[in-house]
Amino acid sequence: MTDGFVYEAQPMRVVFGAGSTAVLPAEAERLGMRRALVLSTPQQRGLATRVAALLGERAAGVFDGARMHVPVETVAAAEAAVAEADADGCVAVGGGSTVGLGKALALRRALPVLALPTTYAGSEMTPIWGLTENAEKRTGRDPAVMPRSVVYDPDLTMTLPAAVSVTSGINALAHAVEALYAPDGSPVVAAMAERGVRDLANALPLLADDPGDRAGRRAALCGAWLCGACLGATTMGLHHKLCHVLGGMFDLPHAETHAIVLPHVAALNLPAAPEADAALRRVLDTDDVPAALAKLTALATRLGAPGGLQELGVAEDDLPRVADEVLARPYANPWPVGRRDLLGLLHAAHRGGTS
């Protein structure tokens, strides 16, 4: 980071605390929502229905078709549901898939979004949108897609399985790791990144041992919020580019892909980013950051999460195609990565374990 910097605060209202789901009707009223369509995945239909009941007359119905990577077909179906319900806003209940769908509706129909996260994805804190069409995921930035209000209720994460909690948390960690060496970083982002990494690194082992640990749940959700805010304030790098290409090309689970890839990207990039490396060594209390991150990934694997891309069904013969797609439209990175380095990283992530 140079002596000068630019930091642009995002226009976002955050309500954090156990039981804060109860404020949803007041938040919807504050945003002027008279007919809010509640969005969810099929698996979160029950919670979405409870949220609709809580909203009462302000609820216009439930659309439970959210999917990973926001396929354009899903967005079209949601747009039809918005039109049929005459909705003037959306309440996105769930993780990155549902928040991503809310962002697509904000982008295409200028609808305000109120987010109620139930995982540690962090998407609700960013102006980044993504759409997948013909196995290719396109992303962009637009402040218009950001939720107007985010309600963080740690109680909603209490039933999140341990393996999902850890992989989702490592996904959040990736946001902060990349923010520490982003070209548009700042002291504000660095402070949020360090606190977010510390909170998650301390909380995830607790949740692995006891998913009902309430203090761990609060810390993990707070850390995810801060890490997501880091991603929203900086330019994405190689890690996110890789995960977007892999996810769009093979329809891979988002959090698990991030968890697998992160230690390998860190091993490749941190030698060229000494300030980020020093910050992560300090906050993780380690002399080897990639090994510390790999240890968290191993924790997820112990809980049943996949340990390598091969376990997600990616064939080794597919890796050159992934590398070509990444290199065709590269993201910012601490140093220029060539095809040989990228293929080495992908083969290591394919096998699993440390680089």
Side-chain angles (χ1 to χ4, degrees), residues 253-269:
H254 186 77
E256 287 85 344
T257 304
H258 276 267
I260 290 168
V261 169
L262 178 61
H264 304 287
V265 176
L268 186 68
N269 273 343

Side-chain angles (χ1 to χ4, degrees), residues 54-190:
L54 181 63
L55 291 171
E57 63 182 14
R58 293 185 183 275
V62 173
F63 177 83
D64 67 354
R67 284 188 54 203
M68 288 189 307
H69 309 302
V70 197
V72 292
E73 298 83 3
T74 298
V75 178
E79 287 186 284
V82 165
E84 182 178 355
D86 191 26
D88 60 3
C90 296
V91 178
V93 179
S97 300
T98 306
V99 173
L101 177 58
K103 288 180 173 183
L105 293 174
L107 184 70
R108 293 167 65 149
R109 299 188 68 97
L111 291 179
V113 178
L114 195 169
L116 183 66
T118 61
T119 71
Y120 307 131
S123 174
E124 67 281 352
M125 281 291 117
T126 81
I128 301 163
W129 56 265
L131 292 170
T132 299
E133 184 174 15
N134 298 325
E136 182 178 349
K137 187 169 185 176
R138 296 183 293 111
T139 62
R141 281 179 176 262
D142 191 329
V145 307
M146 294 192 70
R148 307 283 181 84
S149 181
V150 180
V151 176
Y152 286 109
D153 187 345
D155 288 349
L156 294 183
T157 68
M158 293 299 294
T159 58
L160 198 63
V164 177
S165 299
V166 175
T167 53
S168 180
I170 297 170
N171 176 14
L173 277 173
H175 307 331
V177 171
E178 286 215 318
L180 282 169
Y181 54 67
D184 47 2
S186 72
V188 177
V189 169

Side-chain angles (χ1 to χ4, degrees), residues 32-57:
M33 293 184 186
R34 296 187 303 273
R35 294 185 57 77
L37 184 66
V38 181
L39 309 175
S40 76
T41 61
Q43 295 79 13
Q44 293 273 43
R45 172 81 193 200
L47 176 58
T49 301
R50 293 199 298 275
V51 167
L54 181 63
L55 291 171
E57 63 182 14

Side-chain angles (χ1 to χ4, degrees), residues 276-300:
D277 186 55
L280 289 168
R281 287 172 186 266
R282 180 169 60 249
V283 76
L284 293 171
D285 191 23
T286 182
D287 292 328
D288 189 338
V289 174
L293 295 173
K295 188 175 180 180
L296 288 173
T297 296
L299 178 65

